[in-house]
Amino acid sequence: MAQSMKSGMNGSMNIRTDARERSSQGVSGALVTLFDTVATWNERRRQRRALEALPDHLLQDIGLSRADAVTEADKPFWQG
């Protein structure tokens, strides 16, 4: 889960970089950038809630403690 969480966020980061390049296209580029940013925030929120919902034995399988999961879940959605 932690590995897929990292790869999911990295994939989102690439999309945002591409969106920034398109932002020079005016209003449509700005809307794409805004949409991509909101999508990234939503994905972070979803992944953090899923991590927090895992039972302790599954967290232990991926090398995390309950405290690690809670700490990650408590981060604001805009914080990477």
Side-chain angles (χ1 to χ4, degrees), residues 23-79:
S23 67
S24 63
Q25 297 174 356
V27 173
S28 64
L31 287 175
V32 168
T33 301
L34 176 63
F35 178 81
D36 288 343
T37 300
V38 171
T40 298
W41 289 348
N42 188 50
E43 183 64 14
R44 282 184 192 154
R45 182 193 56 79
R46 187 195 64 75
Q47 289 180 0
R48 287 174 176 160
R49 295 299 164 249
L51 182 66
E52 185 179 36
L54 288 176
D56 290 339
H57 72 278
L58 290 179
L59 288 172
Q60 187 178 22
D61 284 350
I62 60 173
L64 296 175
S65 67
R66 172 61 50 201
D68 294 334
V70 169
T71 298
E72 184 66 27
D74 286 345
K75 286 183 182 179
F77 62 87
W78 61 86
Q79 191 175 31

